[in-house]
Amino acid sequence: MRALRRAEIAGLLASDIVAHLATIDAAGYPHVTPIWFLWDQQAFRLTSWAGRPHLRRILANPRVGLVIDREVVGSRDGGQRPNRQVRVIGDAELT
């Protein structure tokens, strides 16, 4: 997969699509949660309801991953389903 151009990254980050948030449970297993996001040019803002399991996991372990991706329509090469994606890892902060 080729690296995305800045305009492609900006387009993905401005999209009205669901991201996938990965959190880690107490036993060390990952959990992936579909979640709405907003990129404010400095940080990702995610929406959620108080008390949700992924929020409890973040409180216990703030290390997370986030993926925003979109399939490239009509572009199949050799049966592959290419997509454009932005992947981020870091420590989450609940506000």
Side-chain angles (χ1 to χ4, degrees), residues 4 8 13 20 25 41 50 59 62-63 65 67 71 82 87 92 94:
L4 296 180
E8 291 171 313
L13 297 180
H20 296 87
D25 71 12
Q41 303 302 316
L59 283 172
R63 296 174 71 185
V67 174
E71 184 175 336
R87 293 177 283 170
L94 299 179

Side-chain angles (χ1 to χ4, degrees), residues 7-89:
E8 291 171 313
I9 294 170
L12 271 175
L13 297 180
S15 296
D16 187 20
I17 56 177
V18 173
H20 296 87
L21 173 69
T23 56
I24 303 169
D25 71 12
Y29 289 99
H31 288 262
V32 178
T33 304
I35 194 164
W36 290 105
F37 77 96
L38 174 67
W39 170 245
D40 72 4
Q41 303 302 316
Q42 295 182 7
F44 288 94
R45 307 294 177 181
L46 309 178
T47 60
S48 191
W49 295 96
R52 299 294 301 160
H54 59 276
L55 298 179
R56 291 192 298 272
R57 290 190 293 270
I58 290 170
L59 283 172
N61 183 346
R63 296 174 71 185
V64 300
L66 188 71
V67 174
I68 299 120
D69 67 331
R70 175 172 277 163
E71 184 175 336
V72 179
V73 178
S75 178
R76 291 186 181 208
D77 185 23
Q80 295 183 20
R81 296 178 68 146
N83 67 1
R84 293 187 176 133
Q85 59 182 265
V86 172
R87 293 177 283 170
V88 180
I89 57 171

